[in-house]
Amino acid sequence: MSIIVTVCIFGLYVFLSSTQTEIVPHIKGHLCPDWTGRLGNLMFQYASLFGIAKRNDMVLTIHEDDEITSVFDNLFALKLNNNSVCEHAQTWGEMEPCLYDILAATIPSNRNVKQMSLLQSWKYFNHVEQAIKEQFRFNQKIESKCQKMLNDAIIAFTSIHTKIPVEKLQVVGIHIRRGDYLDKDKIAHGYQTADEEHIKKSINYFRSKFNYVLFLAYTSYYWKDLLWREKHLVGSDVVRMRVNSPEVDICVLSKCNHSIITVRSFGWWAACFANGTTIYYKNVAKLTVSIEMILAKT
Ligand SMILES: *[C@@H]1O[C@H](CO)[C@@H](O)[C@H](O)[C@H]1NC(C)=O
Ligand SMILES: *[C@@H]1O[C@H](CO)[C@@H](O)[C@H](O)[C@H]1NC(C)=O
Ligand SMILES: *[C@@H]1O[C@H](CO)[C@@H](O)[C@H](O)[C@H]1NC(C)=O
């Protein structure tokens, strides 16, 4: 641990002292993404880059056709219609994925830099949380589809259970991703997956906590998860939601009052927006490399 701390403080010291002594006018560098993965991953990359750009006084720069711009219509990033800035940018990256890496967040800010990492830690954007929530506003088309799905589910439920007062109903969004993490190579890699028992306990927690509760159950789009849902997410208070598109589905989950997630990036964002009580699966990763091995690489 002490090695990491020394490296970080040393890096920071060099960075600070050089910015203090040079009297070069500060030209803001552009910070560019290297989009990797699907919606949940893209959101982490955007949010983290926004946080890193703020911290280093850089201009977050994306392309106007990037997938994320078709989902959210309030992004503050500079949107260009060409790649002239980003294609020549110097590349930069994290040492290890899914850790907060202060060196990845500390960038030579007068150059154009392309961040090549997943940046999957909330610590990269903790200081700009409100700005992130403002920017991740679903566009009108997604928003209206999503509201309709949510309202239809609630109306269908309360028209059967007529004694339930709608205003007291607590809606709990469930997002399960298991199937692809049960592959042999993923298990060998140290991934662990929530089982039926864990999910059942989580559901029962909300059943005992609230008088009126409705569960909206989503899974990943993998057929094994959809089948698993038919078998394990059942009950008169559970609605297995029709699969729409990832952006509509995450929007519905984000409007629920509480969340049950198996902790992958999609569920993480859904629960973050819902901002209620979240039950998540804690043991998603087994430590297969020791801290010493990580340090040896630095
Ligand atoms: C790229 O877009 C920017 C802003 O839209 C523009 O100023 C610049 O001239 C463009 N570059 C090329 C090579 O087209
Ligand atoms: C659940 O959330 C909705 C908004 O998404 C809100 O209108 C409703 O009052 C909440 N329900 C409860 C019981 O807090
Ligand atoms: C989330 O909920 C907490 C209270 O539980 C509240 O203090 C906070 O402002 C909420 N955050 C957002 C972004 O809505």
Side-chain angles (χ1 to χ4, degrees), residues 117-151:
S117 316
L118 283 170
L119 301 171
Q120 219 137 295
S121 164
W122 54 272
K123 291 187 183 172
Y124 289 117
F125 51 85
N126 197 25
H127 56 297
V128 289
E129 185 188 336
Q130 274 311 323
I132 295 301
K133 293 214 168 171
E134 254 175 75
Q135 293 178 77
F136 285 166
R137 200 173 64 196
F138 296 99
N139 74 37
Q140 201 44 55
K141 215 170 130 198
I142 297 170
E143 184 69 33
S144 50
K145 259 194 199 169
C146 148
Q147 272 299 348
K148 185 170 180 337
M149 293 209 59
L150 182 64
N151 293 345

Side-chain angles (χ1 to χ4, degrees), residues 80-82 84:
L80 297 181
N81 60 10
N82 61 59
S84 55

Side-chain angles (χ1 to χ4, degrees), residues 38 219-223 225-226 243-247 249 266:
R38 289 177 296 182
T219 68
S220 83
Y221 307 110
Y222 189 34
W223 62 271
D225 281 343
L226 290 163
V243 170
N244 207 296
S245 59
E247 52 274 19
D249 296 349
F266 190 92

